[in-house]
């Protein structure tokens, strides 16, 4: 049910950080105080519950049908939806993961026994809403996960206009020990987590790589490695239609006529069989062909 969520847009849950975009929609679950902010008093609450438009999901918490299932489960455990799971709820590109990620407010006891499919992250500043703010959720990923995962999520937030580039760099600098290195690897140009993973692979090997490079007569390509090797990170969503396949073939012929070599990698090659893909990429790098300038046919 979208009526309650859309009629009251929250300004960056928990307050706006510099460089964030206002207008994030709070889909619940809600406390009684949060419902009151939306004009739902005790009498109206009882009426909505009788109509099935709101339901009690935990002590003091109420949800509508459109409330995120992960957030409902989080408040039922006395926690809040956060980290990777909250980032996914905000529509960010998130690496594949199986666990539900929740944050636990100070002084709150963890469930006993703990669910094996949930990752709990203790936070020092209480989160009053069911879902951690976007900026806090991204920061949680940066501090609790590896560099690659953090950059995937952060670059997605910037690319989608939900975080400003300057604030993104501020978040990176706040990460102990590896903040400076991560900032050097950061790019606001990545259009998918697959691009981020591939670019970071080359950056760590100190191989020249340019994201979203512009090739004359072709346009933007995902990555230009060295001087003449183009790598595209395909996905089934954007490269499965007949028209898109035909367009890709035309682009392939155009870059080959200009002397570039081009490789397309699928989602599965980048995220499922990544170890094998890395070995194959390293084999191609050893040929050093990417360092040669393209020679038009």
């Amino acid at each position: 049910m979208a009526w309650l969520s859309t009629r009251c847009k929250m300004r960056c849950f928990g307050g706006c950080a510099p460089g964030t975009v206002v207008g994030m929609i709070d889909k619940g679950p809600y406390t009684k105080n949060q419902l009151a902010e939306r004009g739902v008093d005790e009498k109206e609450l009882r009426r909505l519950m009788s109509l099935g438009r709101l339901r009690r999901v935990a002590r003091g918490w109420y949800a509508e049908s459109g409330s995120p299932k992960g957030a409902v489960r989080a408040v039922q455990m006395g926690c809040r939806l956060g980290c990777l799971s909250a980032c996914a709820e905000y529509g960010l590109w998130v690496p594949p993961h199986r666990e539900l990620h929740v944050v636990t407010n100070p002084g709150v006891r963890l469930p006993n026994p703990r669910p094996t499919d949930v990752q709990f992250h203790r936070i020092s500043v209480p989160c009053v809403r069911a879902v951690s703010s976007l900026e806090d959720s991204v920061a949680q990923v940066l501090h609790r996960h590896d560099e690659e995962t953090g950059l995937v999520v952060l670059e997605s937030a910037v690319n989608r206009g939900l975080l400003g580039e300057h604030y993104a760099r501020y978040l990176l600098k706040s990460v102990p020990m590896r903040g400076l290195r991560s900032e050097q690897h950061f790019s606001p140009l990545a259009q998918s987590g697959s691009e981020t993973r591939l670019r970071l692979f080359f950056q760590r090997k100190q191989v020249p790589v340019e994201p979203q490079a512009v090739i004359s007569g072709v346009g933007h390509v995902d990555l230009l490695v060295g001087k003449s090797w183009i790598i595209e990170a395909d996905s089934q969503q954007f490269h499965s239609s007949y028209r898109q396949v035909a367009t890709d073939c035309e682009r392939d012929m155009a870059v080959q006529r200009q002397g570039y070599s081009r490789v397309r990698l699928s989602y599965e090659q980048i995220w499922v069989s990544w170890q094998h893909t890395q070995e194959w990429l390293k084999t191609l790098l050893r040929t050093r062909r990417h360092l040669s300038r393209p020679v038009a046919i």
Side-chain angles (χ1 to χ4, degrees):
M1 186 185 320
W3 66 274
L4 185 58
S5 303
T6 55
R7 80 183 200 180
C8 184
K9 294 185 178 182
M10 304 304 298
R11 291 180 171 269
C12 303
F13 311 147
C16 287
T20 59
V21 176
V22 299
M24 300 301 297
I25 300 176
D26 185 350
K27 299 179 181 179
Y30 319 94
T31 64
K32 282 189 176 181
N33 287 340
Q34 290 160 6
L35 288 172
E37 294 173 0
R38 292 157 172 76
V40 179
D41 58 16
E42 188 73 35
K43 181 179 178 181
E44 179 68 1
L45 174 59
R46 289 195 297 270
R47 187 185 76 86
L48 293 174
M49 292 183 67
S50 69
L51 294 173
R53 301 177 78 172
L54 280 176
R55 70 188 193 280
R56 182 182 176 184
V57 294
R59 183 177 179 181
W61 289 93
Y62 302 85
E64 48 185 336
S65 60
S67 296
K69 293 181 180 179
V72 171
R73 188 180 178 194
V75 299
Q76 289 173 338
M77 294 185 290
C79 304
R80 307 288 186 265
L81 192 69
C83 201
L84 286 173
S85 296
C87 288
E89 193 61 43
Y90 284 113
L92 302 189
W93 210 109
V94 174
H97 64 286
R98 296 181 179 179
E99 301 91 349
L100 182 71
H101 290 250
V102 302
V103 293
T104 307
N105 283 334
V108 174
R109 290 186 177 181
L110 297 179
N112 187 18
R114 298 183 189 180
T116 57
D117 62 340
V118 178
Q119 280 200 25
F120 296 89
H121 306 295
R122 183 75 68 179
I123 55 177
S124 57
V125 179
C127 176
V128 297
R129 300 194 179 274
V131 181
S132 178
S133 70
L134 181 141
E135 60 271 16
D136 286 345
S137 300
V138 171
Q140 290 156 13
V141 174
L142 289 171
H143 283 262
R144 290 172 170 82
H145 293 273
D146 59 273
E147 179 189 30
E148 178 186 270
T149 300
L151 284 174
V152 164
V153 170
L154 183 67
E155 292 180 1
S156 176
V158 173
N159 179 260
R160 300 187 182 205
L162 298 177
L163 285 181
E165 181 179 346
H166 291 299
Y167 186 67
R169 293 188 183 278
Y170 164 79
L171 287 178
L172 281 174
K173 291 178 181 178
S174 71
V175 182
M177 301 300 291
R178 70 166 190 261
L180 180 60
R181 183 186 68 229
S182 295
E183 187 184 9
Q184 293 173 340
H185 289 159
F186 168 77
S187 171
L189 302 177
Q191 296 186 355
S192 72
S194 296
E195 287 183 37
T196 299
R197 167 169 268 198
L198 284 168
R199 190 196 72 245
L200 188 59
F201 167 82
F202 293 110
Q203 288 174 319
R204 285 173 169 172
K205 295 186 174 302
Q206 299 183 327
V207 175
V209 57
E210 181 182 352
Q212 292 301 311
V214 178
I215 306 299
S216 177
V218 178
H220 288 87
V221 297
D222 291 344
L223 297 172
L224 175 60
V225 180
K227 299 176 181 178
S228 57
W229 185 13
I230 294 173
I231 297 184
E232 300 277 20
D234 288 352
S235 68
Q236 185 175 0
Q237 178 181 1
F238 297 109
H239 294 271
S240 58
S241 70
Y242 174 82
R243 178 173 294 181
Q244 186 60 57
V245 170
T247 299
D248 289 341
C249 290
E250 288 292 334
R251 284 165 56 90
D252 287 345
M253 288 189 291
V255 297
Q256 288 174 11
R257 282 196 295 267
Q258 296 186 52
Y260 292 91
S261 60
R262 189 173 200 161
V263 170
R264 293 187 177 277
L265 295 175
S266 67
Y267 177 93
E268 288 74 17
Q269 288 173 310
I270 299 171
W271 293 101
V272 179
S273 56
W274 178 232
Q275 189 61 43
H276 174 74
T277 301
Q278 289 182 86
E279 294 302 321
W280 178 70
L281 291 173
K282 286 187 284 188
T283 299
L284 294 181
L285 284 175
R286 284 195 288 268
T287 68
R288 301 179 65 83
R289 294 176 184 173
H290 61 287
L291 301 177
S292 302
R293 291 186 180 278
V295 178
I297 300 175

